[in-house]
Amino acid sequence: MNGHDNHDNTQYNGYNEEEFEPSDPSSSGEFSDSDSDSDSVSGTAGTGSDSGVVDVDDESIPSYFIERGGRLYHADTTSPYPLPCDGREIQRLNAQHSLLKNVFGRNYIRQDLVQEVLTDDGSMKVVVDFAHGTGRWAVEMGQQFPHVQFYGLEIVPITNREHLDNVQFELNSEISRGTRFDEGSVTIVHARTVYMTVRNYYQSIILEAGRILQTGGLYLAGEWGYPAFIGQEPHPNLAQMGLGQFFNSLSQCLAPRGITRLGRDLENLIRNSNLFNPIHVHNVWVPIGPWDPQRQEFGARMRRILRRFMSSTKPLLLESSGWTEAQINDLFAVCNTEMTSTPRLVMVFHAICAVRWRGE
């Protein structure tokens, strides 16, 4: 496939928006959550439209969840997703959504391409959000583009039951096995931080996006990489840091489930599918902790998100890492110190806008 790839490796030029931010937990290894949000969840699988999708009523919602160790998890035995689906995890997902929106200045990269394909020209516009999480991206996009029909796919009903008429949430146990949408019927597919939702073959998500996208449609994808350092050396050896040990251990725990962290490999997977051209890449780094005086708020938010993420992975580490709870708590305490005091420490988000291409 011939064509050009546009790379934009940059910091960020975000803006601030009012949002709920949880209070900063203590610095102990056991990351506590002092927020008042309960662990109850609610959602809907759709609107009972002609698609055959039916509503999930209040009485059936508990059947989609199981409780382990005081956290709620999905009860779908076919999905590899290993993290909780409770109130604390919902707060993390919402905080992550708000941070990324601030970082990029909007809910997507390549504003020109997105607004072009979603222009209200009288034709049917359909956007599908793979693994929509709390549904905030779809709802906010539905507000911005009221003439577009948005569908969010997820394994459990954790979205707010009150949403827009042009936004519908549906249950789909494993997107990589296929969706109900016809070939070439979708304008945009959005897939952000979905690598834990598929086992063994992430390319299947890319192939499904390529199948349902119309020619000229957009695949908006994004995944976090590993912690990294910016600027000139010398830097600490990340492999010898607590954060390096945490992410390495997490990868080892996910491997038996067939889950592989993507990060910078996402671009090559999309390129090698030969389904998209051109591919626009925007890699952005976000500080961890207070070291950047110009972006201390972003750094504090990134640290809180990582702390919540680590807390959500603790049951998985206890089950699969061979570490004791005390050892995990000690590791988390070391990580917290590093995130608070290590200069030039960042997380990198790899965002892609790829155009569906059908040619020779």
Side-chain angles (χ1 to χ4, degrees):
M1 178 179 65
N2 295 323
H4 64 279
D5 302 331
N6 297 323
H7 289 255
D8 184 5
N9 298 280
T10 185
Q11 184 178 339
Y12 38 68
N13 54 355
Y15 61 92
N16 295 328
E17 68 171 3
E18 292 185 1
E19 65 167 312
F20 169 76
E21 281 293 347
S23 58
D24 197 18
S26 67
S27 60
S28 65
E30 177 63 32
F31 291 169
S32 62
D33 293 287
S34 58
D35 316 312
S36 60
D37 289 29
S38 69
D39 284 349
S40 62
V41 295
S42 63
T44 179
T47 60
S49 66
D50 293 339
S51 67
V53 178
V54 297
D55 286 333
V56 175
D57 57 52
D58 291 337
E59 293 183 357
S60 66
I61 285 177
S63 66
Y64 290 92
F65 301 91
I66 58 175
E67 183 176 351
R68 297 199 307 267
R71 303 292 301 265
L72 283 181
Y73 292 81
H74 68 84
D76 191 329
T77 58
T78 66
S79 173
Y81 189 72
L83 299 185
C85 304
D86 55 18
R88 282 179 282 176
E89 181 64 6
I90 287 172
Q91 289 175 351
R92 180 186 73 85
L93 294 174
N94 281 337
Q96 176 180 260
H97 167 81
S98 294
L99 176 63
L100 289 173
K101 182 179 179 180
N102 291 166
V103 164
F104 290 109
R106 60 187 66 86
N107 276 317
Y108 43 84
I109 65 171
R110 291 310 304 253
Q111 179 180 12
D112 55 337
L113 297 180
V114 172
Q115 294 190 353
E116 178 183 354
V117 300
L118 294 184
T119 297
D120 188 1
D121 57 7
S123 63
M124 182 66 176
K125 309 287 185 179
V126 175
V127 175
V128 178
D129 188 8
F130 286 177
H132 64 71
T134 65
R136 282 185 59 178
W137 185 89
V139 169
E140 291 177 9
M141 290 290 287
Q143 293 171 337
Q144 183 178 357
F145 300 98
H147 60 283
V148 177
Q149 180 64 49
F150 289 83
Y151 296 95
L153 309 182
E154 190 52 89
I155 58 174
V156 288
I158 61 174
T159 56
N160 192 314
R161 295 182 69 86
E162 300 296 329
H163 51 77
L164 304 174
D165 291 340
N166 65 324
V167 179
Q168 177 171 299
F169 298 113
E170 303 176 7
L171 298 182
N172 187 303
S173 61
E174 191 167 351
I175 295 166
S176 62
R177 296 183 177 181
T179 67
R180 66 174 182 82
F181 299 94
D182 293 334
E183 181 176 348
S185 64
V186 174
T187 313
I188 291 178
V189 170
H190 179 254
R192 185 175 68 187
T193 61
V194 301
Y195 79 98
M196 285 191 183
T197 67
V198 59
R199 57 167 59 89
N200 298 326
Y201 192 59
Y202 182 91
Q203 292 92 325
S204 58
I205 288 183
I206 299 172
L207 294 176
E208 178 62 11
R211 183 187 71 82
I212 66 177
L213 276 170
Q214 63 192 35
T215 301
L218 303 180
Y219 181 44
L220 304 180
E223 297 287 346
W224 289 105
Y226 289 98
F229 288 97
I230 63 167
Q232 297 181 347
E233 296 183 352
H235 301 307
N237 185 343
L238 187 63
Q240 296 179 358
M241 295 176 59
L243 279 171
Q245 295 177 38
F246 164 74
F247 279 100
N248 180 63
S249 179
L250 178 62
S251 295
Q252 293 177 2
C253 293
L254 292 174
R257 296 171 176 258
I259 299 174
T260 303
R261 192 174 181 89
L262 295 175
R264 66 177 60 189
D265 294 332
L266 179 62
E267 177 189 351
N268 288 333
L269 291 176
I270 295 175
R271 183 198 311 278
N272 292 338
S273 72
N274 292 322
L275 298 176
F276 301 92
N277 182 40
I279 299 171
H280 306 277
V281 182
H282 188 157
N283 298 324
V284 60
W285 60 262
V286 184
I288 303 174
W291 63 266
D292 184 348
Q294 303 300 319
R295 299 294 188 272
Q296 286 189 347
E297 180 191 356
F298 279 10
R301 291 162 66 184
M302 186 75 256
R303 182 173 67 92
R304 285 196 291 267
I305 291 168
L306 282 173
R307 286 167 62 96
R308 285 184 175 275
F309 176 71
M310 294 170 69
S311 180
S312 290
T313 66
K314 183 177 179 180
L316 175 63
L317 295 177
L318 281 171
E319 175 185 335
S320 305
S321 70
W323 292 353
T324 66
E325 183 171 9
Q327 289 173 323
I328 294 173
N329 288 342
D330 288 344
L331 176 64
F332 285 3
V334 170
C335 291
N336 183 60
T337 299
E338 292 171 348
M339 290 189 291
T340 305
S341 60
T342 307
R344 296 180 290 182
L345 181 65
V346 303
M347 287 292 289
V348 180
F349 190 79
H350 303 270
I352 290 177
C353 174
V355 181
R356 181 65 171 101
W357 174 81
R358 288 178 171 88
E360 298 181 359

